[in-house]
Amino acid sequence: MDREQAYMRMLGATANMQWNVALILEAKAQEAEKARNWICNHIHTGTFPGDQTQLKQTLGVHDQMVETIEGINKMSQGIVSVLKAVLQKEGEDSHSSGSEFHFGGGFGGGN
């Protein structure tokens, strides 16, 4: 397998991963909407014996949301790394042939 085929496989895998991330986010959004509706209709100030219990429940929900966002962010950073590798190699190859395809550091990702 030559370099171009390897890059195409990397990009294909990255596209599949991004599609799966989109499906996960869609499912999470639907789940959050159902939870919001249930909370709005069933949870009242009298539901919890005290403010501490209510705060613990709220923090638990927010912790789950933060974990999901962190996981998505890590996957996105992986996608950015793959794209940087492919685009830099493509840019170097294309630049040597006279094309201006090199993006340089145009993508943020913390790496």
Side-chain angles (χ1 to χ4, degrees), residues 59-99:
L59 289 175
V61 170
H62 287 286
D63 284 343
Q64 289 176 355
M65 293 171 72
V66 168
E67 286 177 15
T68 301
I69 292 169
E70 285 177 345
I72 300 288
N73 187 36
K74 287 178 183 178
M75 289 192 330
S76 295
Q77 287 176 348
I79 290 170
V80 167
S81 297
V82 168
L83 290 175
K84 279 184 178 181
V86 171
L87 291 176
Q88 284 178 347
K89 295 296 181 187
E90 285 289 321
E92 290 169 4
D93 293 345
S94 297
H95 187 64
S96 63
S97 66
S99 176

Side-chain angles (χ1 to χ4, degrees), residues 39 43 48 50-66:
I39 288 170
I43 304 282
F48 297 103
D51 290 337
Q52 285 296 100
T53 308
Q54 184 177 6
L55 181 62
K56 284 181 184 178
Q57 290 292 327
T58 304
L59 289 175
V61 170
H62 287 286
D63 284 343
Q64 289 176 355
M65 293 171 72
V66 168

